[in-house]
Amino acid sequence: MPNSDVPSSQRYPDADGYYGPFGGSHYPAKVQPALDELAQAYESIRDSLDFQREITSVRATFQGRPTPIHHLKRISQQLGGAQIFVKREDLNHTGAHKINHCVGFALLAKKLGKTKLIAETGAGQHGVALATAAAYFGLDCEVHMGEVDIGKQASNVGRMRLLGARVVAASTGQSALKEASDSAFAAYAEQHAHALYAIGSAIGPHPFPMIVRDFQAVVGREAREQFLALSEGSLPEHVVACVAGGSNALGMYTAFLDDSEVTLHAVEPLGQSSQLGQHAATLSYGTPGTLHGARSIMLQEKDGTPASVSSVASGLVYPGVGPEMAMLHESGRISVAVVLNEDVIRAFFQMAKLEGIIPALESAHALAFAFKLAAQRPLSERILVNLSGRGDKDVNYVLENYGPG
């Protein structure tokens, strides 16, 4: 049994990379030595003063951390219930939380003597962040992206190429995030001798879910301290984040896992409906399975193959979820909710017109749920949302498909 005196975020994974029944390393044997090397290297430097000083310096002088907490006064007033606050991860350099772990992976690559970073991307925010970190640290970069998303997120593709990254189109299946992940994993299997896979979320074989969670935990640590300061020592009653793989959610949740008075809400994309193939709500409708090298929960067909998924947000079009998110769901520590595309678009326009903030469509999922929750809760309660990214990348798509709002 794990030691209850140890913070929840440090109890998992176990020595074999498991979070309860989920996780592990189900990956080709030829790559296992590279994964073992990565795990050992990370364990040896994660708490070293030199490594922490270096990453803290880069975050402060290059990323723009700490990011602030902001009160959505106009929307909260309009809703007439609980007060909504947002953690402004959209103000990071490159516009999203993804830069948090990309900087970390780039530092790890340098420590390991690797010369290249490989990754997948959906909405392009992770790809841009990784290309940025690679340019900063003098590393080559290869980003795999679904062909559909390359067309939908053209501005981010241009930014990646401008930063020196090679963008590889994944054209099989739905040509989306899952296929980009397949392509990137295959590339890493061939190039692991000189390259490091900087995975885009808290998914994949051990030690990737742990590393991404740890690098993203800066979000929750900052948010907790900031909220305590602005509210005279009290915590929010609710913490909300959108979920696909789980990087932004775990980044925010980690600091609050042991605060039983704080409800953690995981918001999934219901897309067009609850019919399989029309959503990407894995925790709500998925079943246990193995995807991208880890045992977790996934949306799958009767024969066990990953199901087609759908969401208005490219970064959430994924048929699985990270193993730690699956464990938190199974244990009952997180409350899972779903929102439809139409609710997401409505929240996108509300944020722009009432608060002067254009959120990423991924983040708009969390906001859409928070708006509904606030209307149902008393004025005395506070809701803290991880506004994980900005929506510059989504403006053209939204205007072309939904008009001016």
Side-chain angles (χ1 to χ4, degrees):
M1 293 294 289
N3 186 347
S4 60
D5 293 330
V6 177
S8 292
S9 60
Q10 296 177 26
R11 294 178 210 155
Y12 297 98
D14 65 16
D16 296 317
Y18 277 89
Y19 304 80
F22 305 109
S25 181
H26 303 264
Y27 208 52
K30 71 175 183 178
V31 186
Q32 195 58 49
L35 296 177
D36 293 340
E37 175 195 33
L38 175 60
Q40 292 164 9
Y42 178 66
E43 287 291 348
S44 70
I45 68 173
R46 63 189 294 189
D47 296 322
S48 74
L49 289 178
D50 286 345
F51 184 79
Q52 289 303 320
R53 286 194 192 104
E54 190 168 3
I55 197 169
T56 298
S57 175
V58 174
R59 283 173 171 167
T61 62
F62 185 64
Q63 278 187 242
R65 300 208 72 90
T67 59
I69 283 182
H70 173 66
H71 184 195
L72 301 184
K73 293 181 180 178
R74 293 193 67 200
I75 287 179
S76 297
Q77 183 178 29
Q78 183 184 76
L79 294 170
Q83 299 299 293
I84 305 172
F85 297 80
V86 291
K87 176 64 170 165
R88 295 292 306 275
E89 288 300 289
D90 59 312
L91 296 180
N92 271 300
H93 180 41
T94 73
H97 73 291
K98 297 292 188 180
I99 191 73
N100 295 326
H101 64 254
C102 288
V103 163
F105 272 117
L107 273 171
L108 274 177
K110 298 286 283 189
K111 300 291 185 184
L112 287 167
K114 306 295 184 182
T115 60
K116 183 177 185 177
L117 295 170
I118 295 174
E120 83 297 334
T121 194
Q125 289 301 102
H126 177 242
V128 169
L130 192 70
T132 299
Y136 182 85
F137 286 101
L139 298 165
D140 293 333
C141 185
E142 178 178 310
V143 180
H144 295 248
M145 190 172 188
E147 209 165 43
V148 169
D149 292 331
I150 286 176
K152 185 178 176 182
Q153 306 290 352
S155 63
N156 273 346
V157 175
R159 292 167 73 192
M160 285 183 263
R161 288 174 173 155
L162 183 62
L163 289 159
R166 175 176 174 244
V167 180
V168 179
S171 56
T172 60
Q174 286 190 270
S175 300
L177 181 55
K178 186 263 178 187
E179 288 72 30
S181 297
D182 292 341
S183 181
F185 269 111
Y188 174 58
E190 294 300 318
Q191 302 178 54
H192 63 272
H194 67 277
L196 177 62
Y197 188 7
I199 201 163
S201 195
I203 60 173
H206 179 68
F208 290 118
M210 174 182 66
I211 294 174
V212 172
R213 176 201 67 195
D214 289 354
F215 286 147
Q216 287 295 341
V218 65
V219 179
R221 287 197 302 271
E222 285 181 5
R224 196 175 193 280
E225 293 173 4
Q226 291 167 327
F227 205 92
L228 286 170
L230 69 85
S231 60
E232 300 181 347
S234 64
L235 294 172
E237 285 74 21
H238 307 273
V239 170
V240 181
C242 66
V243 173
S247 61
N248 93 93
L250 284 172
M252 179 63 97
Y253 294 162
T254 297
F256 299 94
L257 285 175
D258 294 318
D259 299 307
S260 58
E261 70 273 27
V262 179
T263 302
L264 306 177
H265 301 271
V267 185
E268 296 193 300
L270 191 56
Q272 301 171 68
S273 77
S274 60
Q275 181 179 331
L276 188 65
Q278 295 192 354
H279 65 83
T282 302
L283 293 173
S284 300
Y285 299 101
T287 52
T290 300
L291 179 64
H292 293 139
R295 185 76 178 166
S296 190
I297 296 173
M298 58 184 285
L299 294 167
Q300 50 192 316
E301 302 291 349
K302 291 180 179 178
D303 63 359
T305 58
S308 295
V309 287
S310 176
S311 170
V312 72
S314 295
L316 302 182
V317 182
Y318 186 67
V321 68
E324 187 164 8
M325 289 299 303
M327 180 194 72
L328 292 173
H329 171 58
E330 185 182 70
S331 70
R333 181 61 187 95
I334 58 175
S335 175
V336 179
V338 294
V339 292
L340 290 160
N341 284 344
E342 60 195 63
D343 298 320
V344 174
I345 297 300
R346 188 179 304 112
F348 182 91
F349 284 121
Q350 283 178 284
M351 283 291 290
K353 295 182 176 181
L354 292 177
E355 297 289 348
I357 297 171
I358 301 174
L361 287 174
E362 292 77 17
S363 309
H365 282 72
L367 290 162
F369 170 76
F371 297 168
K372 291 184 177 181
L373 180 64
Q376 299 166 0
R377 306 303 301 176
L379 185 65
S380 60
E381 293 190 0
R382 288 79 43 85
I383 301 169
L384 177 59
V385 181
N386 191 358
L387 205 173
S388 54
R390 67 175 180 240
D392 304 37
K393 64 184 178 61
D394 298 313
V395 169
N396 289 341
Y397 172 81
V398 171
L399 292 178
E400 288 172 6
N401 290 276
Y402 299 96

